[in-house]
Amino acid sequence: MKNEDWTELFDGTRALPRDVRDRLLKSAHLVTAKEGKSIFSPDHIPDKLLFLINGVIRVSQTSENGREIVLYRVEAGQSCVLTTACILAEEAYNAEGVAETDIKAISLPRSEFDRLVAEMPAFRKFVFSAYSRRLIDLLRVVDDVAFGHIDVRLAERLIALCGGGNDIAVTHQKLAVELGTAREVISRQLVEFQKRGWLELSRGKITLNDKASLRKLSNN
Amino acid sequence: MKNEDWTELFDGTRALPRDVRDRLLKSAHLVTAKEGKSIFSPDHIPDKLLFLINGVIRVSQTSENGREIVLYRVEAGQSCVLTTACILAEEAYNAEGVAETDIKAISLPRSEFDRLVAEMPAFRKFVFSAYSRRLIDLLRVVDDVAFGHIDVRLAERLIALCGGGNDIAVTHQKLAVELGTAREVISRQLVEFQKRGWLELSRGKITLNDKASLRKLSNN
DNA sequence: TAAACTTGGTGACAAAGTTACAGAAAGAAA
DNA sequence: TTTCTTTCTGTAACTTTGTCACCAAGTTTA
């Protein structure tokens, strides 16, 4: 991307008056990160608000005994509010954001963030909207983990990850992290799906043969 | 409580200038609800911000198949932000807030809420603080449900619920809802604790005999 | 090529959730 | 009071999920 007007890309900034947007173009700056880079973690909480232009940030949580669960993903056009939330709260938490792809984002200083929230109703709405989005994402995770069945959740996730195509490049361990369970549980379930002819397994790759059945199991 | 200055009771309003507080005393009004009353639910989302003066609101989530889990509690001096969050997001969610005791609260109209967030840094900080508090509460719930062991979680909850004393007036079913599990699982675990001499069971009541052991199991 | 690491397969077992009842205690109705 | 009804608890059998231990095949590194 050329050095274009990124304020055009976000709901929260597109609606702002021209002079404010020009101010933003000066005060904020572009940051990039390679795939796999940690964007925030308990050790490293940035004091900026991130607006994601390109790529995906995967936010996950790791337990004491090392198991991990994916909470949600921040996609292009969205902002990463968990960090700003957690600057205020001084309680311990163990969520981490990792660049799932190479990413490009706008980094907005806290002072400017505060000022925008104060002065611009459109921006305020965007921020609150982002918060509620994440709250609801988490409600969904709680529901899934507490009450969901592993076969349904796995089918759901496979459909979500294939993205139009039929192949998914993913290890059983990665899928286990998606759902917050153990690798063996995923392997078992995948073999079961394979027996039903719904998919083919190979090292590091899953080929979906019968998306309809998977979709049916996952109720979408 | 007499018709006092409730703005003194909240972090978010105590720090405001006198004239703003006087304005609030006029625009907001006192609401009360009896124990057991539903404060908000998917069917009924109030468009006000609630400031809780007295009592406790229990926020829980119910699954399709009827099982339920307690997410967190809103206590006196806190505000109930989940509702405001969810007005914006149009996605479905199934959290409900129920008055766990008789409650007394201040109801602030949305317009006034917006204005305060815009104009008053102290209020803004309070609101963001409330959001992050809930986000972190939910992170904790996810961690517990996904990775926690039921004996540890139950011990923890028993210690939290006894509140200084030794008796807890609660049914096994209620405890199951606290942890998002089944009644039978709780019964089984309570019998185990009883065998170890940590507590006594009777209908609708649990008497803790050895809080130290429970506390040790729950790692606090 | 050999060694080290990653990925996946498997069996045995433990923990937690489900199903299906039964009986005791408390409260309401006759 | 006695009977009926509801609520609460106990329990056994079974299924699902999570854990542990270990091995084998593929991949990368030395």
Side-chain angles (χ1 to χ4, degrees):
Chain A
M1 196 181 83
K2 296 159 232 150
N3 205 356
E4 285 166 9
D5 180 1
W6 60 264
T7 60
E8 194 59 39
L9 302 173
F10 299 91
D11 287 344
T13 53
R14 192 167 29 236
L16 301 178
R18 192 65 251 172
D19 60 328
V20 175
R21 289 170 63 177
D22 288 337
R23 192 180 80 209
L24 279 181
L25 290 175
K26 280 181 192 150
S27 64
H29 64 279
L30 187 76
V31 295
T32 60
K34 289 281 175 197
E35 177 183 340
K37 180 92 186 297
S38 172
I39 306 299
F40 66 90
S41 74
D43 305 326
H44 167 66
I45 304 177
D47 62 342
K48 320 257 188 199
L49 183 69
L50 281 188
F51 287 87
L52 201 55
I53 293 177
N54 257 313
V56 177
I57 298 174
R58 185 183 60 240
V59 179
S60 63
Q61 176 167 239
T62 305
S63 76
E64 285 177 347
N65 53 39
R67 264 176 59 196
E68 190 180 350
I69 183 170
V70 173
L71 299 172
Y72 58 81
R73 288 181 163 79
V74 182
E75 319 243 353
Q78 301 179 343
S79 71
C80 187
V81 292
L82 185 57
T83 55
T84 63
C86 296
I87 291 168
L88 291 165
E90 279 134 27
E91 298 188 54
Y93 72 104
N94 43 6
E96 180 179 18
V98 173
E100 190 160 55
T101 65
D102 287 359
I103 63 170
K104 195 173 293 186
I106 294 296
S107 170
L108 190 66
R110 175 142 193 92
S111 56
E112 189 64 42
F113 168 76
D114 274 340
R115 188 171 162 188
L116 280 177
V117 170
E119 294 174 356
M120 296 293 143
F123 187 82
R124 193 154 63 235
K125 186 172 177 192
F126 177 72
V127 170
F128 279 117
S129 211
Y131 269 93
S132 31
R133 171 73 174 271
R134 296 319 168 194
L135 272 171
I136 287 179
D137 286 345
L138 288 184
L139 290 181
R140 175 66 191 272
V141 173
V142 170
D143 196 279
D144 279 359
V145 173
F147 309 124
H149 291 260
I150 205 71
D151 52 350
V152 176
R153 296 174 60 209
L154 179 55
E156 203 171 84
R157 204 52 78 111
L158 289 172
I159 292 293
L161 290 174
C162 74
N166 285 323
D167 284 1
I168 310 175
V170 71
T171 65
H172 298 188
Q173 179 56 46
K174 289 258 172 62
L175 285 171
V177 167
E178 291 287 331
L179 304 185
T181 182
R183 197 258 313 161
E184 293 88 331
V185 174
I186 296 295
S187 293
R188 212 151 45 191
Q189 195 60 55
L190 284 173
V191 168
E192 172 60 28
F193 286 165
Q194 188 175 34
K195 276 179 191 158
R196 295 184 202 165
W198 294 0
L199 44 75
E200 294 293 330
L201 298 176
S202 47
R203 189 185 172 89
K205 193 179 86 170
I206 297 172
T207 307
L208 307 186
N209 291 332
D210 186 355
K211 284 205 221 178
S213 291
L214 287 168
R215 204 171 274 120
K216 189 175 164 199
L217 177 60
S218 73
N219 335 310
N220 326 285
Chain B
M1 196 181 83
K2 297 159 231 148
N3 205 356
E4 285 167 8
D5 181 2
W6 60 263
T7 61
E8 193 60 38
L9 302 174
F10 299 91
D11 287 345
T13 52
R14 191 167 29 236
L16 301 177
R18 191 65 251 173
D19 61 328
V20 175
R21 289 170 63 178
D22 288 336
R23 193 179 80 208
L24 279 180
L25 290 175
K26 281 179 193 154
S27 64
H29 64 280
L30 189 75
V31 294
T32 61
K34 290 281 173 197
E35 177 183 339
K37 180 91 185 298
S38 172
I39 306 300
F40 67 89
S41 74
D43 306 326
H44 167 66
I45 304 177
D47 63 341
K48 319 258 187 198
L49 183 69
L50 281 188
F51 288 88
L52 202 53
I53 293 176
N54 257 313
V56 177
I57 298 174
R58 184 183 61 240
V59 178
S60 64
Q61 175 167 238
T62 304
S63 76
E64 286 176 348
N65 53 40
R67 264 174 61 196
E68 191 181 350
I69 183 170
V70 173
L71 300 172
Y72 58 80
R73 289 180 163 80
V74 182
E75 319 243 352
Q78 301 179 343
S79 71
C80 187
V81 292
L82 185 57
T83 56
T84 64
C86 296
I87 291 168
L88 291 166
E90 279 134 28
E91 299 188 54
Y93 72 103
N94 43 6
E96 181 179 18
V98 173
E100 190 160 54
T101 63
D102 287 359
I103 62 170
K104 194 174 293 186
I106 295 297
S107 170
L108 191 67
R110 177 142 192 92
S111 58
E112 188 64 42
F113 168 77
D114 274 340
R115 187 169 164 190
L116 280 176
V117 170
E119 294 174 354
M120 297 292 144
F123 187 82
R124 192 155 64 234
K125 184 171 178 191
F126 177 73
V127 170
F128 279 116
S129 213
Y131 269 93
S132 31
R133 171 73 174 270
R134 295 320 169 194
L135 271 171
I136 288 178
D137 286 344
L138 287 184
L139 289 181
R140 175 65 191 270
V141 173
V142 169
D143 195 278
D144 280 358
V145 173
F147 309 124
H149 290 260
I150 206 71
D151 52 350
V152 176
R153 296 175 61 209
L154 178 56
E156 203 171 84
R157 205 51 80 109
L158 289 172
I159 291 294
L161 290 173
C162 73
N166 286 323
D167 285 0
I168 310 175
V170 72
T171 65
H172 297 187
Q173 179 57 47
K174 290 258 172 62
L175 285 172
V177 167
E178 291 287 331
L179 304 185
T181 183
R183 197 259 313 163
E184 292 86 336
V185 174
I186 297 294
S187 292
R188 218 159 30 200
Q189 196 58 57
L190 285 173
V191 167
E192 172 60 28
F193 286 166
Q194 188 175 34
K195 276 179 190 157
R196 296 183 202 165
W198 294 0
L199 45 74
E200 295 292 329
L201 299 176
S202 48
R203 190 187 172 88
K205 194 180 88 172
I206 297 172
T207 306
L208 306 187
N209 290 333
D210 186 354
K211 284 205 223 179
S213 291
L214 287 168
R215 205 171 273 120
K216 190 175 165 200
L217 176 61
S218 73
N219 336 309
N220 330 282

